[in-house]
Amino acid sequence: MPPPNSDGPRKANADRPAEWLFAAPGMLLVGLLALPLLALVLRAAGRDFFSVALSESALSALRLSLVTSLTSVMISLLIGTPLGYAMARRRYPGRAALELLVDLPVVLPPSVAGLALLIAFGRQGLFGGFLATFGISLPFTTAAVIIAQTFVSAPLYVRSVRIAFAGVDSQLEEAARSEGASQWQVFTRVMLPLCRSAILSGAILAWTRALGEFGATILFAGNLEGVSQTMPLAIYLGFERNLDVAVALSIVLIAVSLVLLGVMRKLNRDHES
Amino acid sequence: MKAHLPAALSAALILSACGAGAPTTAPAAYPPGTVLTVFAAASLTGAFGDIGKSFESAHPGIKVQFSFAGSQALRTQIEQGAAADIFASANAAEMDTLVAGKLVVSESVKIFLTNQLVVVMPAKNPAGLATLADLAGPRLKVVLAAKEVPVGNYAAQSLGKLDASLGAGFRDRVLANVVSYENDVKQVVVKVQLGEADAGIVYASDAVAAPDLKKIEIPVDSNVLARYPLAPLTQSKNPELARSFVASVLSAEGQAILQRWGFSPIR
């Protein structure tokens, strides 16, 4: 795509109204997106933002959120990358169905995800008895938080890398193979470096999604400080106890998400240039 | 949130239809499609559903719409501008906050029932609990409501009182068994019903609404008497209708419905 030619020769004033045709409704949406965030910042300003944001329970929620979301991203990287590669390169029956299955959690309401996880992996769930034979009980644990986050965020990652792997010219792989490279070497030496930026941006996208996970977590993992009370849960409860707490936590979460999105943009730009 | 549009629409309908002083009792004064929005504590889900149906049949054309959640959540939503006509809370604190915020007139607040706490277990009682003292046993999964939720606050009070009869440290050992603090009492009930938790502390009325659960009574001297207040909101666009809903909850029929759902009527 050619870059937008902003310094190009300006047409006559006749085109100006047309510009407004797009700008005016666009501004409405920008307002809808920006004003709530602005309101949060204004509400926090002048109050005891730092003492709330740095309080013990807020830090505990932030710590738990970072640990669980990073763990779920690691899981996505470790088992999502091979899946994405296999989905991009192999011809297999039921391919469309598998792609649908992997994409589904992206559009599924998180409450449905939480309920499904509980019915499947709860103590009385479909596989609860099986897990219990190993002494494992998932609900109300930090592991349950990570599973819920992985359920909703891994599909974003897999989708990102699948598309990237599919975009690599298969002749490159064949060339490497003809020079004696093993399948593993082709994957690690050719595919991974070529798709590095899609892998990173997919991982960051999954990370931000995991960081914001709420509905599946509260249903499957419950709510206990230090165990399952992540930032979004602490915000929800803080909202009912003390609005200032909820506002302060929200701003911390927005700041973290902004940094992550900024890093992702930079990665994408580096890749394009 | 879903309540906004219908409530606003019905308000507009009322304003246009009966601008000149609505009559006090005649139900016919309300055009079809009038919606009365009731925000009620989660524990009232079953009972208020029945009261709503009976109110609707006594007031043709009127639709009673409920939002059930933890009282603290409903109070916050009302403070933030949710369009409700009536608030029924499981404790005095949330109602008092609305009175202080001039969203409720103090004189209009009526206590309409009392409730008590009970310990519930899944039907299979996987942990084999038989007495209150068993709640302090090792490796138990106990679910309570968060302390912001009225029933969670009551449960904490009751556990404190049980320290006296069951020995100091009982409360702390039970709290050490808590695996989750839920957002309303029905979430506690569901976690126990699903068998995910070994025990939970809920209202006696919840145990009636979920007869499949096993229960352990808490003695009166260690229990708490939860008194539920009810009031029309000053912002209601249908104040007459809101008052008559309050009256129907306090009526003999309304109190009988509440009793059927396991609450203690106030008369």
Side-chain angles (χ1 to χ4, degrees):
Chain A
M1 213 172 34
N5 196 358
S6 53
D7 294 324
R10 286 222 163 229
K11 279 258 180 89
N13 290 346
D15 266 6
R16 290 276 167 77
E19 280 175 23
W20 277 104
L21 209 60
F22 294 101
M27 288 309 285
L28 274 178
L29 185 54
V30 170
L32 175 67
L33 299 178
L35 292 178
L37 300 181
L38 180 70
L40 269 180
V41 174
L42 290 179
R43 166 94 198 193
R47 283 164 209 260
D48 226 352
F49 172 74
F50 287 102
S51 74
V52 174
L54 300 176
S55 69
E56 183 48 46
S57 56
L59 286 179
S60 158
L62 180 61
R63 204 178 309 124
L64 184 69
S65 268
L66 289 177
V67 168
T68 53
S69 60
L70 276 170
T71 309
S72 82
V73 169
M74 288 303 161
I75 294 172
S76 293
L77 282 167
L78 281 176
I79 57 183
T81 314
L83 176 63
Y85 184 53
M87 288 174 77
R89 276 297 182 252
R90 294 274 165 272
R91 302 269 169 271
Y92 49 90
R95 175 173 174 157
L98 181 64
E99 283 177 7
L100 265 180
L101 175 75
V102 174
D103 282 345
L104 191 60
V106 177
V107 293
L108 214 55
S111 51
V112 175
L115 192 61
L117 287 168
L118 200 57
I119 302 288
F121 303 122
R123 199 160 64 160
Q124 303 295 323
L126 195 54
F127 307 105
F130 174 72
L131 291 171
T133 58
F134 302 99
I136 298 173
S137 172
L138 286 174
F140 311 122
T141 61
T142 305
V145 177
I146 294 167
I147 291 172
Q149 290 176 347
T150 307
F151 186 89
V152 299
S153 70
L156 290 170
Y157 174 76
V158 173
R159 191 185 165 78
S160 168
V161 295
R162 173 170 60 82
I163 292 169
F165 286 140
V168 174
D169 190 343
S170 56
Q171 286 182 340
L172 279 172
E173 282 173 281
E174 281 157 26
R177 201 78 67 77
S178 69
E179 289 182 19
S182 68
Q183 173 99 39
W184 175 250
Q185 283 171 323
V186 170
F187 180 65
T188 53
R189 305 272 174 80
V190 179
M191 297 304 279
L192 288 187
L194 280 174
C195 299
R196 201 187 56 140
S197 109
I199 288 170
L200 280 173
S201 66
I204 290 176
L205 193 62
W207 190 8
T208 51
R209 178 68 188 84
L211 208 49
E213 214 306 305
F214 171 73
T217 307
I218 201 159
L219 276 171
F220 185 46
N223 169 54
L224 189 65
E225 190 178 323
V227 174
S228 54
Q229 191 180 91
T230 55
M231 290 288 277
L233 271 67
I235 289 167
Y236 184 65
L237 273 178
F239 170 62
E240 293 166 357
R241 179 178 46 207
N242 179 345
L243 199 56
D244 290 338
V245 173
V247 169
L249 294 180
S250 300
I251 286 178
V252 172
L253 203 52
I254 289 171
V256 173
S257 303
L258 268 180
V259 169
L260 289 177
L261 283 177
V263 171
M264 191 164 79
R265 273 180 67 92
K266 178 148 173 40
L267 285 170
N268 286 343
R269 254 204 321 274
D270 289 351
H271 180 67
E272 278 162 20
S273 63
Chain B
M1 296 296 130
K2 264 183 282 181
H4 283 196
L5 192 58
L9 275 177
S10 64
L13 284 171
I14 297 291
L15 286 176
S16 58
C18 43
T24 44
T25 47
Y30 300 99
T34 301
V35 174
L36 189 70
T37 303
V38 180
F39 276 25
S43 47
L44 294 165
T45 306
F48 266 34
D50 283 357
I51 290 178
K53 282 194 203 89
S54 119
F55 188 81
E56 281 173 358
S57 57
H59 298 75
I62 285 167
K63 168 105 183 67
V64 184
Q65 186 171 17
F66 291 103
S67 174
F68 296 108
S71 305
Q72 81 294 346
L74 297 171
R75 186 261 304 155
T76 311
Q77 288 167 13
I78 292 168
E79 285 176 334
Q80 298 300 317
D85 297 295
I86 288 157
F87 178 46
S89 171
N91 68 4
E94 310 302 339
M95 187 62 87
D96 291 348
T97 309
L98 291 188
V99 169
K102 305 226 186 305
L103 292 157
V104 165
V105 178
S106 172
E107 291 71 32
S108 68
V109 178
K110 301 270 190 286
I111 301 293
F112 67 103
L113 63 81
T114 62
N115 210 348
Q116 295 221 294
L117 299 180
V118 67
V119 175
V120 287
M121 290 95 67
K124 288 181 189 159
N125 194 8
L129 305 177
T131 67
L132 285 177
D134 293 345
L135 282 180
R139 287 185 301 283
L140 215 58
K141 289 180 193 295
V142 176
V143 172
L144 298 181
K147 64 178 185 297
E148 292 79 14
V149 188
V151 69
N153 189 5
Y154 292 136
Q157 288 177 34
S158 181
L159 286 172
K161 290 181 186 176
L162 284 166
D163 258 9
S165 51
L166 295 172
F170 170 79
R171 172 179 163 274
D172 290 342
R173 289 204 300 283
V174 175
L175 291 183
N177 282 336
V178 173
V179 291
S180 182
Y181 289 98
E182 301 290 331
N183 284 316
D184 65 58
V185 69
K186 293 300 180 194
Q187 293 295 319
V188 180
V189 172
V190 166
K191 295 278 157 74
V192 176
Q193 269 178 323
L194 285 174
E196 298 302 341
D198 297 314
I201 300 182
V202 299
Y203 293 115
S205 57
D206 295 302
V208 170
D212 51 321
L213 296 177
K214 288 208 165 51
K215 57 181 179 175
I216 301 176
E217 304 288 347
I218 300 174
V220 177
D221 56 348
S222 303
N223 216 315
V224 290
L225 191 68
R227 294 152 61 85
Y228 285 40
L230 167 81
L233 298 170
T234 52
Q235 62 173 9
S236 172
K237 300 291 197 302
N238 293 318
E240 286 294 331
L241 200 56
R243 274 195 291 276
S244 71
F245 183 85
V246 170
S248 82
V249 173
L250 293 166
S251 73
E253 192 201 351
Q255 294 284 299
I257 292 174
L258 288 167
Q259 190 162 22
R260 204 155 62 235
W261 282 93
F263 298 98
S264 308
I266 43 103
R267 52 179 240 173

